[in-house]
Amino acid sequence: MNIKLNQVLICLFCIGLLFSCGESGNTPTNQAENNDGVLRIAVIPKGTSNIYWQTVHAGARKAEQELEGVEVLWKGPSVETDKEQQIAIVQDFIVQDVDGISLAPQDAEAMVSVVERAAQKMIPVVIMDSGINTESYISYVATDNYLGGQKAAEEMAKRLNDQGKVVMIMNDPGGASTNEREKGFRELLQKDYPNIQLADEQYHYNDREKARAVMEDLMTRHTDLSGVFCSNESSSIGALLAVQANQLGEKLCFIGFDSSDDLINGLQSGDMDAIIQQDPFRIGYEGVKTVVSHLKGETVAKRVDTGVYVVTKDNMNEPEIENLLHPKLDVLQ
Ligand code: BDR
């Protein structure tokens, strides 16, 4: 009889152990025990050097200020092409067992395994800015980048009267956001503008100096060039330096992506014709708000489109555009 009772007691003890060692998931009921009621949200950009990401950071901080009991943990690679570093940053936040993650994947494929690992650990992930080749996330908060590329093609065609030779400076083969822009630009030209020749496409790998060298080379090789499209901030800034050094602003139709003081000055001086502008502040803001809503048990949209705008000298002083070009970064002080 005693042996039987002992066996029952041992079984009950083991069952109790199993329940007490379960996953430290982040469902609304037990997150309080993990963080004294504070929800820790890791916000991980592609990089930190472009103004674009400082604006994403400001949006994330604004959401943190507005939300009670939320702490944003901001950490990103110094350059946008260091995939190993970004993977390590995400992995470190998984080990810390943060309550949620808002991530801009540098590479749509390379970041898949670490995002799936977070999901397996019950850490919800919002993908912001740039897509990823997995469904293991709760929401995708980004610009419609394909549409952004199409808008660049339409603006280029309008300014070239539907004819001419153009080139494109692309970002990074693994980056989904810029791939989409480049695809949108390329495919609309092919479909609707047969008299515009896309003569060359070169990567600059998010390196401004390389973008400048690429633009110099393209201008040398294509002396009859009519236009250039650059698919992000660093390629636009690098190409602008080359256009200004060769005084080709009047000759070329130059359409960039993203804004910074240099690019805004390029619009004002006439060296640039248009900028395709995103809303990085909103991307950072909605990324944090969305993961927190999920943690509170609210339903969140699988896709949040944060908008895309064509900015020219004619509309750059309109209030809505002005706010996008000069976002409030004081929240970062
Ligand atoms: C750029 O990289 C993209 O993912 C962002 O949308 C931005 O355009 C910053 O270098």
Side-chain angles (χ1 to χ4, degrees):
M1 181 56 182
N2 280 346
I3 293 169
K4 203 101 176 112
L5 181 59
N6 281 347
Q7 282 169 331
V8 169
L9 288 172
I10 289 166
C11 285
L12 287 172
F13 177 71
C14 291
I15 290 166
L17 264 183
L18 276 175
F19 275 101
S20 67
C21 297
E23 285 292 324
S24 59
N26 292 284
T27 47
T29 47
N30 70 3
Q31 86 240 347
E33 294 125 49
N34 296 348
N35 310 316
D36 306 327
V38 174
L39 290 177
R40 292 179 307 150
I41 310 301
V43 181
I44 307 162
K46 278 189 180 183
T48 49
S49 53
N50 281 324
I51 291 290
Y52 179 88
W53 300 112
Q54 293 167 38
T55 309
V56 168
H57 188 188
R61 290 293 174 202
K62 181 70 177 163
E64 178 189 55
Q65 275 182 350
E66 290 180 359
L67 292 164
E68 288 293 310
V70 168
E71 180 187 2
V72 160
L73 308 173
W74 172 263
K75 188 169 184 180
S78 42
V79 293
E80 297 185 33
T81 49
D82 190 343
K83 298 164 185 56
E84 289 68 33
Q85 190 184 8
Q86 192 177 49
I87 290 168
I89 290 169
V90 179
Q91 178 55 33
D92 183 44
F93 279 125
I94 291 172
V95 170
Q96 292 180 43
D97 195 23
V98 294
D99 295 283
I101 295 173
S102 180
L103 166 72
Q106 283 188 359
D107 186 295
E109 193 56 41
M111 300 307 291
V112 167
S113 57
V114 76
V115 165
E116 291 181 343
R117 203 172 308 138
Q120 284 151 15
K121 297 280 288 180
M122 304 295 283
I123 299 175
V125 178
V126 162
I127 296 297
M128 61 162 172
D129 174 73
S130 196
I132 193 167
N133 298 340
T134 176
E135 288 302 316
S136 299
Y137 59 85
I138 60 167
S139 185
Y140 175 40
V141 177
T143 304
D144 179 341
N145 286 295
Y146 187 85
L147 175 63
Q150 291 183 311
K151 285 180 177 283
E154 287 166 352
E155 192 67 21
M156 181 75 82
K158 183 172 77 176
R159 292 169 179 271
L160 295 182
N161 297 317
D162 296 353
Q163 60 187 332
K165 178 191 271 192
V166 304
V167 294
M168 173 161 63
I169 301 181
M170 303 185 287
N171 183 29
D172 173 345
S177 58
T178 43
N179 282 348
E180 284 298 294
R181 299 169 198 165
E182 295 142 13
K183 187 172 175 228
F185 181 79
R186 182 186 305 116
E187 290 183 351
L188 195 68
L189 286 186
Q190 282 163 353
K191 183 168 81 70
D192 290 355
Y193 303 104
N195 296 325
I196 296 182
Q197 179 200 0
L198 180 52
D200 220 321
E201 306 178 25
Q202 300 290 334
Y203 285 107
H204 81 298
Y205 300 96
N206 219 272
D207 177 329
R208 295 180 185 182
E209 274 315 304
K210 180 154 179 58
R212 177 175 183 161
V214 163
M215 188 61 194
E216 294 279 1
D217 175 53
L218 288 167
M219 294 189 296
T220 305
R221 282 197 284 123
H222 303 283
T223 51
D224 55 345
L225 198 57
S226 320
V228 55
F229 170 55
C230 296
S231 67
N232 84 319
E233 179 181 337
S234 49
S235 54
S236 302
I237 290 175
L240 178 61
L241 291 171
V243 166
Q244 289 172 331
N246 293 277
Q247 291 158 344
L248 287 173
E250 291 303 316
K251 175 177 178 288
L252 284 178
C253 176
F254 180 1
I255 297 178
F257 218 104
D258 296 329
S259 60
S260 67
D261 290 346
D262 294 334
L263 298 177
I264 292 166
N265 293 337
L267 270 186
Q268 281 162 336
S269 67
D271 288 320
M272 292 187 78
D273 296 81
I275 286 174
I276 310 302
Q277 175 68 26
Q278 306 182 76
D279 191 343
F281 188 95
R282 188 170 169 213
I283 287 172
Y285 179 86
E286 297 286 357
V288 172
K289 293 275 246 186
T290 301
V291 72
V292 170
S293 294
H294 173 81
L295 285 166
K296 289 177 176 173
E298 297 159 13
T299 303
V300 300
K302 188 71 177 175
R303 177 73 173 91
V304 177
D305 181 343
T306 50
V308 65
Y309 311 80
V310 178
V311 179
T312 65
K313 201 170 182 177
D314 298 337
N315 70 0
M316 65 190 300
N317 296 313
E318 291 171 10
E320 181 186 26
I321 300 297
E322 169 68 23
N323 287 338
L324 291 169
L325 296 177
H326 301 287
K328 291 182 176 46
L329 303 185
D330 46 356
V331 68
L332 295 179
Q333 305 309 326

